[in-house]
Structure formats: C-alpha cells, structure tokens
Amino acid sequence: MSSMENQRRSILLLFSWIFMVATMAAASTTIIPVNVGVVVDLDGPSGKMYSSCIEMALSDFYAIHADYKTRLVLNTRNSNRDVVGAAAAALDLIKNVEVKAILGPMTSMQATFVVNLGEKAQVPIISFSATSPSLTSLQSSYFFQFAQNDSTQVKAISGIVQNFGWRRVIPIYVDNMHGEGIMPFLIDALLEVDAHVPYRSVLPQSATDDQIGIELYKLMTMQTRVFIVHMMPKLASQLFAKAKEIGMMNKGFVWITTNGIGDRLKAMESVLNSMQGVLCVETDVSDTFKLREFKTRWKRQFQQENPEIIDVELDAFGYRAYDAAFAIAMAVEKVGNASFGSQKGNASSFNLTDLGSLKVSQYGSNISNALSLTSFRGLAGNFSLVDRQLQLSTFKIVNVNGNGGRGRAVGYWTPENGRLVNSTNSCNVSAFKCDALGPIIWPGESLSVPKGWEIPENGTKLRIGVPVRDGFSEFVKVTLNLRTNTSDVTGFSIDVFKAAVDLLPYALPYELIPYAYPNGSSAGTYNDLIYQVYLGKFDAVVGDATIRANRTLYVDFAMPYTESGVVMVVPIIDSRTKNAWVFLQPLTWGLWMTILCFFIFIGFVIWVLEHRINEDFRGPPSYQVGTSFWFSFSTMVFSQRERVVSNLGRFVMIIWVFVVLIVTQSYTANLASLLTVQQLRPAVNDLNVLLRNGEKVGYMKDAFVYDLLIQRGFDDSKLKACGSMEEIDDALSKGSANGGIAAIVHETPYMKLLVAKYCSKYTMIGPIFKTDGFGFAFPKLSPLVSEITQAILNLTDDGLMGMIEDKWIKKDSNCKNSTGNFSSTALGLESFWGLFLIAGIASIFALITSVTSFLYEHKHVLMPPDSGTSKWKRIRAMFEIFNKRELSSHTFRSSRHTDSYTGTRHHEVKGSSPNHNWPESPQSCINHADTVSVSSRGQASPETNPTLELAITVQETH
C-alpha cells in the first residue's frame, strides 16, 4: 500500500515539474523585446555616466517587475559631441534599428535636429539634459523634456537680485541655443524686480582664455558688479579661472550661476578654488535612502566598467536619465502589443535621399500618450509631466565657500509660493527686514553684502554735463577761458552736488563739462541737455534742471534739492488810506450781515419777553418796533436806557452783551491796524485776473513755464520772455500798460532769488503750478540715483544745505519776509460763529420757555369746555391776550396799590382807546370780566367763571 502511495506521489511530482517547465517555456516565448535608442557623448565622462544610469535603471525596473511582458533593448550611439553626429546617430537608430523611442541627446542644439527626425518618424524623443526653453517652440508631440526647463529658474535668480536690492545685472552666457534660450525669460524676470541689464556678455562655445580675458577686462571698466553666468561647465571653468586671475573674484563682485553649472559643481572640483563666494542655483533633490543606496551601487559598477575614470560624480541629470529609463519602460509596458512593428512612410513626403526611406512608427503615438500619463516617485523626486515637460521643482541656492567642493545651502526657491525661503527658517513677511537667504560668504571672503556696482579704478571719469545760461548765475555759472580752453563751474547747484559727493563712502571721479558751443554759447535747451544722458554722451546732468514728467522718460532724477512749484512775482503796494470805505474792511460782508440779523433777532426776542410786563416796551406798534430795534442796536455802544425786568430777558442780554463786547473789541483792533500799520499787498494775487484783464505776463527764456501759460489760456502776444533779474525788474517797474509786464511767472528757486534782491518792491504769490523742484539727472536705473538721494537727505538733516543756500541766495537784512500767500485781513464769521451759536441757542431757549409758559397759562382759551367756538377765534383771542399787559406781573403791583380799584379799572376800560386793528371778539368780554374780577392779590376770582361762559354765549348769539 505504501509502495502504491509512493508511486502516486512520484507521478504527481513528475507532472508538476513538467507543468512548471512548460509554463516557464511559454512565459519565455511571450517576452516582447522593444528596441530603444540612446544617444549620448561617449567620448566624455558625462555621457558614460548617463549611459550607465540608464542601464542600471532598466536592470532595477525589470528586477522589480519581472512579470512584465516587454523588455527594452538598449541601442547606444555616440553623438561625438557634435550636432551632426547626434543627428546621424538618431537617423541610424530610426531607420536601421527601428527603435520605438530615443533617450537623448545631451545638448539643446543636438536635440533640435533629433526632435525633427522623431517628429517625421513619429518616434518619441526623451531628453534628460537638454534645458533650453527654445525647444518648446518646436511644438512636437513626440518630444519630451525631462530635464528642468531653464526658464523655470529665472524667478529664483531674480529673487536673489531683488533680495539684495541690486539694480543692474550683466548676464554672461554662451553663444548658442543653450545660452540664448534663457535670455528673454531672464530679462523679463529681472525687469519685474526693477533690475536693468545694461550689457550682455556673449562668449563663443569654443572661446580661448585670451578671448575670455578680453571680455572680462571690458566688464571691469563698467560700473556693474553683478554677473549671472549661464553656460556649460567646461566653459564656466575657464571663465572663473580667468576671473580669479585678473582679480574679479575679489571683494565687491557678485557671481550667480544657473543650474547648468550648479547641478554639475562636483564635476568642476578642479576650479572650485576659483569660485569661492559664488552663488549657484541647483535643482533640489531630496537625499533619500533610495538615492544613497543607488549612488553606492552606481559608483561601484561604474568604476568596474570604467576604471580609467576616477573623478566622475553623479549629478541631477544622471538622476533624470535614470527616471527617464523608468518612464519609457512603464510606457512601453502600458502599450504592451505583441508586435511592435513599423510601416514604411510615404516617400513623396520626404525629399531627402536618406529620409525618404524612413518608416513611420506604428506605435509611436501610443507610446507618446502613455508617457504623458506616466507618474511615479523617482530618484530625483516626484515624476509627472505637464505638456510633455517635467513639472516645476524646488531650487536650492548654494554658496561656494570651500566646503569640500560641495557648497553650502543658504536658501531655497519653491514654486508653491514663488519666493525665496531661508535655509534655516521661513522668511517672515511681516517683519520690517526679511532675510530670505542665510549668511553668505561673498568673493574676497567678505561678509558684507556688495552694493552691486563700483566706479572702475581704471575707468574714465564721469562726464557730467552742466547747463550754460544767461542770468541767475547764482545757481550755475560757467566761466570759460578761451585761451586755455578750460572752464570754471560754480554756483548753488554745483556746491550741492560737490557736498553730496563728499558724503559718499567712496571716491567718485568726475569732470564738469559745459553744454556749450566752442564760443561759449549754450548748445541747446534743458531738454536737449537731459537727452544727452539718454544718448550716452553724458553720465549725468548737474545744474538747475527741473524734474519734469517728459524728462523722466529718458533719465532718472535724484531727490530734489530745492523747493518745488511755479510761483508768480508781482509788485507790492501800500493800501492804507486809499479807500474811503476802510471802516468796513475789518469785518467781512458775511460777518456784517450776521451781526445785522442778530441785532434784529435779539430786538424781537427782548420785545417778546418784555412787552407784556415792561412799560418801556409798550405803546403803539410803531413805538414798540422802534424801541425794540433801538434797544438792540444801542447795545453795540452800551447806551441802552430801557430796563429789562424779566429773568429770561436778562439771561439773553447777559450773553448778547458779551458777544457784542467781543465783536466790537475785535473790530476796533483790526480797524486800528488797518489805519496805522503799513498795509503792503500784492498788486494782483490771482493769475486768472491777469488773464481776464489782458495783462502781459513774463517768463524766463527757454523755460517750460511758457507751455504752462499757453495751456492756461494766455495768448502768445501777452507773454514776454525775460532773461536776467535786472531785465525782470525793469519790466515789472514799467507795468503792462507801459510796455512792461504785470507779473513774472517762474519756478520758486529763481523767484526766491529775485524777491531776496528786491524784497521792498515785489512779492511771491503761489505756487500756482506744481513741479518737483531741481534734481540731478542720471541714466535710467543708475545706482548713483539712490546714493546721491541719500547724500542729499544727509545734507538737509545736517544743516549743510541751508548753509549753502545762505551762501548763494543772499537776502537784505533790512527786508522783512515778503513771500507767502497774501489773503484778506478782514475778520470773518469763522472767527465768531461759536459766539453767535451760543447767543442764538440762548435766545431760542428763552423764546420757547416764554411762549410755552404763556400757552400753558391760557390753555383754557385755546381749549375751552364749550367746543362751539371756532379755532380761528380762539387764536385771535390768544393774540389779544398776548398784546395786553400782564397785570399779574410784579412790575404793575405798585401802581395798583396807589390807585383806587374802581378808578383804575374805569381808566383801563373806558379811558383806553379802542383797538381798531382787531374786530370785536368774544375774548374781549373775557378780558373785561377778567380785569373786573381782579383781587387785591392781582388774581382773578373764581366768581368770574360764569361771566366767562355768559360772555362767550352772548357773543355767539350776536
């Protein structure tokens, strides 16, 4: 039984072995080999390094994915460091080997030709080291740029420039597609941070040391000291070695390299000693365990295969080559067809002899689509494509400073926020000073940030143009010596410039060159002089040049060093006793009318408060009106004789008398000033008055003020050009009617000088136009602008500016300050409105209190129990009561005690004249009954109530 069981087991094992062998055989027959080309420079160590990375990538890939059906078969060709060699290699791979994709070539220029071949044959071209942005203009659907596009790093470079405030930068690049492709993007990025490129240094790809030296010596004669280097490592090594030799790696210089150099620093170890202080932009690759393990394996395998090469190090492009092999293997597996074939293309579409036999890849489109969708975690980080280009990655800013040839990271640029981030901590944007980069050791082992420009020691002096003009030589005066052909330039503007230069922390050699013809006459206008800076004939303009908008299109101005604005100078006259109505001038018409209205109002208020209880305010209507107004107006001189007996009236008068006292005292003081103090005023204080009256107005020759006056509306015949101060004085003295001018319009600094000389005759009005004052002009984005501006600020703070002004703009010590804005000396309502407000509120309060008290006391008249009386008659009755004496007042008690009751009452009723202004009303009966029933205390007795009702009833029946 056991033997039977053993036989059965043996048979099962035999069948299992046979099945396994059959399965393995079947699997081996389903492997699909796919030819893939590799075009690299096998004559150099870099090409061998990339080829080794690609081979190791495929080995690692299929070790992980042993079950995949496809296997890439590498066909490596040598490009021979030549564009034609790369194209020939690609053509051989496409035509003869029928590859389904090509990895390479290495350079951007080689890629241009190879991509065209791939487009025609529909074979994907995957470049892992060609970085030129111009490759995207090929718009090929079969070209994949796995290397980081150079245009993606320009923001990191401009961020460095912006962080240190450099305004001028010179790029140094190789004269080929690799060098030129980045320039448009770099220039735009620098302009966004207000940095200018005054010069571009271009070196041939095969430049010799002598050619590099000539170009570097040319750069040393320029002011800019910030250089951006973009070229391949071999040429960069020559450049930095030569720069070190001639002294351009010393203190004050700034060198920034793109990642084409930064990513290959390890391959430039032999010249790193010449690159101390350089800032390099590198592609940031995370130092993962997988990457470290691969470096170890690659180093061991590469040394075994290439024992003669001992100084090769892996760089970012090697990592990209590894990831590119992974990506193409994954894409080919996704297509996974059993037969990767090709079909012969239409020969009529290809005119070239060798290209006519090209076959169009049948599966190139599928592989291209699969590559576009491929994403994974590679050696160099996350791998994903957008429009067949690798997505943006983080850049690392490395400072080369002798750290074993590896450099030291001082910051990062991240695409997420688009700004620099410190290597130790994030930049605090809320801080006043944001240090986006860590400590940097600059060339010359300097720790201080270079200012980015220097005046070349072996360069020429600054050529500074100065204006030549007649008149106002206090600002700029040019004295020519025709015999020695020399000139002496002095003046306020020149002294300010010299003082500013003396405050600079460095020497600034310059020469002042008059803008004049050989005979000493001016060579043009101020606009012409400013334009010479734009043309490069002058390095600056120093003088009395006004900062104008049209001039800032061509130059930059330093901070103005004089007052701004255009003013008008007119004669002054004494207006004391020349006006018969001078007594009205102390107060404005608005205040006069306010006082008049308040006199009337106060008179009315006092009448309302007093006429029922004060005999002084009673009588016929005309007498009452006259008394009220007389009383009110007499308070102006405090001569009122009428008594005020009510408390409310006294309250109002206390406030009103205080108001009158303040106003009269102010009026007296102002009138005395007008009559006794010399009253100098401008002959005219408004330019529009001169325009309406057709007066002639002066302006300085060749000045922009002429255009301003024409724009204001002046006719050319009404404008007269003037030169010197003596000529202006003569024209103003004559006046417009006698062939002179009524006013001169010009800039504040000139007119201050004129008024200082003739302070007893003229005064300034304005400013009437806005300008920015005098300033020194420099070329656009010149670093001297900020330096001179800071020096001018220091001059002003230290008081040196005032001393220079006192030296040149001398003022007669006997002259009073005759400049400023002349305005009316009359007192206005704005000075007293608070007093009138208080008086008005007090008066209204007294009126409301009095009327309310009266209405409440006689509410039985307005609202009687018998509602049959009309409203109009009740109102008339109230007016009748309001017009009568209030006998209950204490002011009438003394007269009632001296007279008998009957006689007094008889005199009141019979002796008083009838009221012809009002018709007889029922309320008259009320008044009669009310007066007859007055008790000895002056109050109506209760017995009068029936009489009131009866009187109203009887009147209603009539």
Side-chain angles (χ1 to χ4, degrees):
M1 191 70 183
S2 61
S3 60
M4 293 280 297
E5 188 68 26
N6 290 333
Q7 290 179 358
R8 187 179 302 174
R9 289 180 179 177
S10 300
I11 294 172
L12 289 175
L13 288 174
L14 178 62
F15 276 107
S16 298
W17 181 83
I18 294 173
F19 178 77
M20 183 179 64
V21 172
T23 302
M24 293 177 63
S28 63
T29 58
T30 59
I31 294 296
I32 304 174
V34 179
N35 285 321
V36 173
V38 178
V39 179
V40 292
D41 176 22
L42 296 178
D43 295 333
S46 296
K48 294 180 179 180
M49 182 258 290
Y50 299 150
S51 178
S52 175
C53 290
I54 292 172
E55 292 174 358
M56 290 187 65
L58 293 182
S59 176
D60 293 344
F61 181 81
Y62 291 118
I64 299 172
H65 306 288
D67 57 332
Y68 279 12
K69 296 183 298 180
T70 58
R71 292 293 185 274
L72 297 187
V73 179
L74 295 179
N75 299 269
T76 305
R77 297 291 185 272
N78 189 359
S79 65
N80 297 313
R81 299 184 180 180
D82 184 62
V83 174
V84 178
L91 183 62
D92 174 61
L93 291 171
I94 294 173
K95 178 183 176 183
N96 299 324
V97 184
E98 298 183 0
V99 295
K100 302 304 181 289
I102 293 179
L103 291 168
M106 290 174 55
T107 68
S108 299
M109 290 193 65
Q110 294 173 358
T112 302
F113 291 90
V114 174
V115 167
N116 289 327
L117 291 175
E119 180 72 18
K120 293 181 182 297
Q122 296 184 8
V123 173
I125 308 297
I126 300 117
S127 176
F128 49 82
S129 59
T131 59
S132 176
S134 60
L135 292 174
T136 58
S137 63
L138 299 176
Q139 297 182 350
S140 172
S141 57
Y142 293 93
F143 174 60
F144 293 83
Q145 195 170 15
F146 286 5
Q148 196 75 51
N149 193 309
D150 283 338
S151 63
T152 59
Q153 62 181 315
V154 296
K155 294 291 186 180
I157 296 173
S158 65
I160 298 174
V161 174
Q162 182 185 30
N163 183 70
F164 296 108
W166 297 317
R167 299 290 301 278
R168 288 192 169 195
V169 177
I170 293 180
I172 306 176
Y173 58 97
V174 63
D175 187 14
N176 59 19
M177 179 183 293
H178 171 72
E180 295 173 353
I182 194 177
M183 282 302 112
F185 302 94
L186 180 61
I187 300 295
D188 291 343
L190 291 173
L191 289 176
E192 289 180 4
V193 297
D194 201 21
H196 180 56
V197 178
Y199 177 75
R200 302 185 191 186
S201 178
V202 185
L203 295 176
Q205 186 173 358
S206 57
T208 63
D209 289 346
D210 291 339
Q211 289 175 309
I212 295 174
I214 292 173
E215 185 64 23
L216 290 179
Y217 276 117
K218 183 189 298 184
L219 296 179
M220 288 187 69
T221 63
M222 302 178 185
Q223 295 183 9
T224 306
R225 290 293 182 262
V226 182
F227 306 108
I228 299 175
V229 182
H230 179 66
M231 55 187 64
M232 299 304 292
K234 180 181 178 182
L235 184 58
S237 299
Q238 293 179 258
L239 174 71
F240 284 110
K242 197 66 178 180
K244 176 73 172 179
E245 177 184 335
I246 66 176
M248 292 185 69
M249 298 303 296
N250 296 332
K251 182 179 179 180
F253 288 87
V254 178
W255 295 87
I256 304 172
T257 72
T258 60
N259 68 341
I261 298 172
D263 289 345
R264 298 183 175 99
L265 272 182
K266 297 173 184 177
M268 301 173 64
E269 189 171 357
S270 59
V271 295
L272 284 181
N273 185 53
S274 301
M275 297 177 62
Q276 297 301 301
V278 175
L279 289 180
C280 298
V281 176
E282 290 186 8
T283 304
D284 184 42
V285 179
S286 300
D287 189 19
T288 61
F289 173 79
K290 179 181 179 181
L291 181 62
R292 292 193 297 270
E293 186 270 339
F294 172 75
K295 287 180 180 179
T296 303
R297 289 192 298 112
W298 175 86
K299 187 72 173 179
R300 182 172 55 252
Q301 179 173 329
F302 188 83
Q303 290 297 323
Q304 292 175 357
E305 297 175 354
N306 304 278
E308 72 282 0
I309 304 176
I310 59 175
D311 58 348
V312 175
E313 293 286 345
L314 271 173
D315 57 28
F317 296 106
Y319 307 149
R320 297 297 185 195
Y322 183 96
D323 291 344
F326 249 72
I328 188 63
M330 295 175 67
V332 168
E333 180 63 25
K334 288 180 182 178
V335 175
N337 199 289
S339 58
F340 278 90
S342 300
Q343 59 184 13
K344 190 172 181 179
N346 185 4
S348 62
S349 63
F350 301 95
N351 297 325
L352 298 179
T353 304
D354 207 16
L355 298 178
S357 59
L358 280 178
K359 295 180 180 180
V360 176
S361 176
Q362 185 176 359
Y363 300 100
S365 177
N366 295 335
I367 295 176
S368 179
N369 293 334
L371 269 176
S372 299
L373 301 176
T374 300
S375 62
F376 58 92
R377 178 71 181 179
L379 276 182
N382 291 326
F383 182 94
S384 61
L385 302 176
V386 177
D387 294 331
R388 298 179 301 280
Q389 287 189 350
L390 196 65
Q391 280 190 324
L392 289 175
S393 65
T394 300
F395 289 102
K396 179 169 59 176
I397 313 302
V398 173
N399 179 211
V400 181
N401 55 17
N403 188 16
R406 299 181 180 274
R408 175 174 54 88
V410 295
Y412 296 87
W413 184 89
T414 59
E416 291 78 15
N417 52 25
R419 61 180 174 86
L420 293 173
V421 178
N422 197 298
S423 59
T424 56
N425 60 298
S426 298
C427 180
N428 184 8
V429 296
S430 63
F432 177 76
K433 179 73 171 67
C434 184
D435 295 326
L437 296 176
I440 297 174
I441 300 177
W442 301 96
E445 297 184 356
S446 173
L447 296 177
S448 59
V449 178
K451 63 177 180 290
W453 67 279
E454 296 284 351
I455 300 299
E457 295 181 1
N458 56 349
T460 59
K461 296 181 179 180
L462 289 180
R463 293 172 51 86
I464 297 179
V466 295
V468 176
R469 60 173 301 164
D470 298 328
F472 292 96
S473 58
E474 288 82 358
F475 290 99
V476 178
K477 182 179 181 180
V478 178
T479 304
L480 296 177
N481 190 330
L482 299 179
R483 185 178 60 183
T484 61
N485 196 26
T486 59
S487 60
D488 183 29
V489 184
T490 58
F492 171 72
S493 299
I494 304 302
D495 282 1
V496 171
F497 178 74
K498 290 181 178 179
V501 170
D502 290 340
L503 292 179
L504 296 178
Y506 49 85
L508 183 67
Y510 63 89
E511 58 177 333
L512 300 175
I513 304 174
Y515 185 54
Y517 293 117
N519 61 0
S521 61
S522 177
T525 64
Y526 278 69
N527 286 338
D528 298 333
L529 174 58
I530 295 295
Y531 193 65
Q532 301 306 307
V533 178
Y534 177 76
L535 296 177
K537 295 182 179 180
F538 288 127
D539 298 313
V541 168
V542 171
D544 50 345
T546 306
I547 302 173
R548 299 286 295 164
N550 62 322
R551 296 172 181 174
T552 58
L553 298 175
Y554 305 100
V555 297
D556 282 343
F557 285 93
M559 174 186 173
Y561 59 90
T562 63
E563 294 182 50
S564 61
V566 174
V567 297
M568 177 174 64
V569 171
V570 297
I572 53 178
I573 59 176
D574 186 3
S575 61
R576 277 183 300 175
T577 65
K578 296 183 180 180
N579 190 349
W581 301 94
V582 67
F583 67 91
L584 294 176
Q585 292 182 3
L587 306 181
T588 62
W589 282 108
L591 184 55
W592 278 119
M593 296 306 298
T594 302
I595 294 173
L596 176 62
C597 293
F598 260 84
F599 274 131
I600 297 173
F601 176 64
I602 294 298
F604 169 74
V605 171
I606 295 301
W607 176 81
V608 171
L609 299 176
E610 295 289 325
H611 81 285
R612 298 185 67 238
I613 61 174
N614 193 339
E615 286 290 351
D616 291 340
F617 290 91
R618 295 205 57 79
S622 60
Y623 178 80
Q624 295 185 38
V625 172
T627 301
S628 300
F629 289 160
W630 157 256
F631 175 81
S632 178
F633 280 95
S634 63
T635 58
M636 184 168 53
V637 292
F638 307 102
S639 62
Q640 67 276 13
R641 60 180 179 82
E642 292 79 11
R643 296 180 305 118
V644 178
V645 297
S646 67
N647 289 330
L648 289 175
R650 290 170 178 173
F651 168 69
V652 172
M653 286 307 299
I654 289 173
I655 296 177
W656 175 242
V657 168
F658 178 74
V659 173
V660 171
L661 176 64
I662 297 298
V663 174
T664 53
Q665 292 296 323
S666 301
Y667 171 83
T668 303
N670 204 13
L671 180 61
S673 175
L674 291 173
L675 295 176
T676 58
V677 179
Q678 186 182 31
Q679 297 296 319
L680 298 178
R681 66 175 181 86
V684 61
N685 56 13
D686 192 351
L687 187 63
N688 293 323
V689 174
L690 299 176
L691 179 61
R692 289 195 301 267
N693 296 340
E695 302 281 357
K696 288 187 177 180
V697 175
Y699 67 96
M700 299 300 296
K701 295 178 182 177
D702 299 328
F704 66 90
V705 176
Y706 172 81
D707 298 327
L708 296 178
L709 293 173
I710 292 296
Q711 295 173 9
R712 178 60 71 93
F714 281 91
D715 188 79
D716 182 68
S717 61
K718 298 297 182 182
L719 300 178
K720 183 177 180 179
C722 301
S724 63
M725 287 192 288
E726 291 74 16
E727 185 179 349
I728 296 173
D729 176 49
D730 181 65
L732 286 173
S733 300
K734 289 180 180 179
S736 179
N738 299 319
I741 57 177
I744 176 75
V745 178
H746 204 44
E747 295 176 85
T748 301
Y750 297 111
M751 296 299 96
K752 282 184 64 176
L753 195 61
L754 176 67
V755 172
K757 186 174 182 179
Y758 302 101
C759 60
S760 62
K761 301 174 64 176
Y762 310 115
T763 187
M764 284 198 314
I765 305 296
I768 55 178
F769 297 107
K770 295 293 184 181
T771 59
D772 292 328
F774 295 164
F776 304 133
F778 297 92
K780 278 287 187 181
L781 299 176
S782 170
L784 277 174
V785 173
S786 59
E787 300 282 343
I788 295 296
T789 294
Q790 184 62 48
I792 292 174
L793 287 173
N794 293 335
L795 285 176
T796 304
D797 293 342
D798 296 341
L800 297 178
M801 186 71 74
M803 296 173 60
I804 298 174
E805 183 174 348
D806 293 339
K807 173 184 174 182
W808 291 99
I809 304 178
K810 298 179 180 179
K811 189 174 182 179
D812 190 349
S813 59
N814 296 324
C815 287
K816 297 180 180 180
N817 185 16
S818 61
T819 62
N821 294 324
F822 285 85
S823 60
S824 174
T825 58
L827 299 174
L829 181 60
E830 63 275 4
S831 300
F832 302 99
W833 69 269
L835 289 173
F836 287 110
L837 178 64
I838 295 173
I841 293 175
S843 302
I844 294 173
F845 171 75
L847 275 178
I848 294 175
T849 303
S850 177
V851 172
T852 303
S853 176
F854 174 78
L855 293 176
Y856 180 79
E857 183 180 355
H858 299 87
K859 62 181 179 180
H860 58 280
V861 178
L862 282 176
M863 297 177 292
D866 184 4
S867 59
T869 305
S870 67
K871 183 185 298 183
W872 172 244
K873 290 181 179 180
R874 292 197 297 270
I875 293 175
R876 288 175 61 192
M878 288 295 292
F879 274 107
E880 286 288 340
I881 297 173
F882 185 74
N883 196 37
K884 296 296 183 180
R885 288 183 177 87
E886 186 179 348
L887 296 178
S888 62
S889 173
H890 67 280
T891 57
F892 296 116
R893 291 177 183 174
S894 59
S895 61
R896 286 198 299 271
H897 284 296
T898 55
D899 296 335
S900 63
Y901 172 77
T902 305
T904 303
R905 186 64 253 160
H906 175 77
H907 176 74
E908 178 69 21
V909 177
K910 299 296 184 179
S912 61
S913 58
N915 185 1
H916 298 288
N917 296 325
W918 298 94
E920 191 70 22
S921 66
Q923 192 60 33
S924 62
C925 299
I926 298 174
N927 291 333
H928 296 166
D930 197 20
T931 55
V932 171
S933 303
V934 177
S935 65
S936 61
R937 292 187 177 182
Q939 297 180 348
S941 62
E943 287 80 8
T944 59
N945 288 336
T947 309
L948 285 172
E949 298 176 3
L950 178 61
I952 295 174
T953 306
V954 172
Q955 184 64 29
E956 288 294 332
T957 58
H958 284 77

